[in-house]
Amino acid sequence: MDFVIAVDGPAASGKGTVAVGLGRRFALPVLDTGLLYRAVGVGVVRIGGDLDDEGFAARVASGLDAGALEDPAFRTRAAGEAASRVAVHPAVRQALKDFQRMFALQKGGAILDGRDIGTVIAPEAPAKLFVTASPEVRAQRRWKQLQAEGTTYQEVLADIHKRDERDSGRAAAPLVRAEDAVLLDTSQMTIDEAADAARRIVEAARARWEASSRPG
Ligand code: DC
């Protein structure tokens, strides 16, 4: 495996922004794996399926066009909720695994952000971050992003609590910090400060990785 950066954390922790910043700094391609689950959730709803039907959701996951993740419908609150529901199914996770694994194994390295990158998808990644923030701070950030939907802060906070519970409580690849992931709590940080802190953590990991992969 080349230089892979695993960025995990709960909803609206800032991990996506951190991953994109790292992508620029290290000139690596970034995969937002949440979009895969969002695409499956939206796909199930669009064809009138049941989000709790594992077989159905897994068939949608198997047929997913991973090259078409730019649909704005994947960014809505409803899509996040649907994603979290299909993500509990082991068969859905399995169907999405090969694509994520291939992305991680591409030549030159890659960055993936999600919930189980450092634990399941790329446990051997040379750099791992676990990005978090308090539920209130995360709700505030997500609420600002969702302003156009007319949602209240209280509704977004309730969503965040519910999603944390579902993502961390599920049996299949729950959200947990990998033992060797560096914790980055962004509660008190601006976006720039968080990006800066992440860059320093990854630069240190890269120096260690380069030293250990040097021949002789
Ligand atoms: O990161 P996000 O909010 O876009 O993720 C949406 C949902 O997808 C999240 O609540 C749980 C699921 N997910 C997952 O189970 N594993 C991942 N690697 C990424 C997302």
Side-chain angles (χ1 to χ4, degrees):
M1 171 175 279
D2 282 333
F3 192 66
V4 168
I5 310 173
V7 184
D8 289 303
S13 56
K15 63 184 185 310
T17 310
V18 159
V20 169
L22 291 171
R24 272 199 295 270
R25 162 65 182 84
F26 293 94
L28 290 173
V30 181
L31 178 65
D32 172 355
T33 63
L35 280 178
L36 299 171
Y37 291 91
R38 285 168 179 264
V40 174
V42 170
V44 169
V45 171
R46 275 186 183 154
I47 50 180
D50 176 358
L51 293 166
D52 300 325
D53 181 339
E54 176 163 12
F56 192 98
R59 281 193 293 282
V60 172
S62 304
L64 193 73
D65 177 1
L69 297 175
E70 291 311 313
D71 190 333
F74 299 164
R75 303 274 179 191
T76 65
R77 185 174 160 225
E81 169 69 16
S84 168
R85 281 176 64 186
V86 294
V88 304
H89 304 311
V92 169
R93 306 199 70 83
Q94 189 56 41
L96 298 177
K97 191 171 174 179
D98 284 353
F99 177 75
Q100 295 176 78
R101 199 58 207 155
M102 262 159 47
F103 193 90
L105 290 174
Q106 67 186 287
K107 209 168 151 35
I111 302 173
L112 292 88
D113 80 79
R115 301 290 188 290
D116 62 341
I117 308 305
T119 50
V120 174
I121 301 298
E124 73 277 53
K128 294 184 189 177
L129 280 171
F130 192 86
V131 184
T132 189
S134 71
E136 291 74 20
V137 168
R138 290 187 282 126
Q140 191 71 36
R141 290 178 186 157
R142 188 47 57 92
W143 178 54
K144 278 192 190 145
Q145 287 167 357
L146 293 175
Q147 214 104 84
E149 289 192 41
T151 326
T152 68
Y153 167 76
Q154 287 306 333
E155 284 171 331
V156 178
L157 182 62
D159 275 4
I160 292 270
H161 282 303
K162 197 164 66 182
R163 280 237 259 145
D164 282 358
E165 224 174 275
R166 197 185 286 134
D167 294 349
S168 308
R170 69 181 178 222
L175 170 69
V176 282
R177 175 162 81 92
E179 258 175 41
D180 52 349
V182 179
L183 183 69
L184 178 61
D185 187 333
T186 67
S187 300
Q188 312 287 336
M189 294 180 184
T190 63
I191 286 175
D192 286 347
E193 287 167 346
D196 229 48
R199 179 182 52 74
R200 283 195 300 271
I201 292 166
V202 175
E203 278 170 358
R206 182 153 184 132
R208 280 195 300 275
W209 176 75
E210 278 171 355
S212 69
S213 44
R214 212 170 282 141

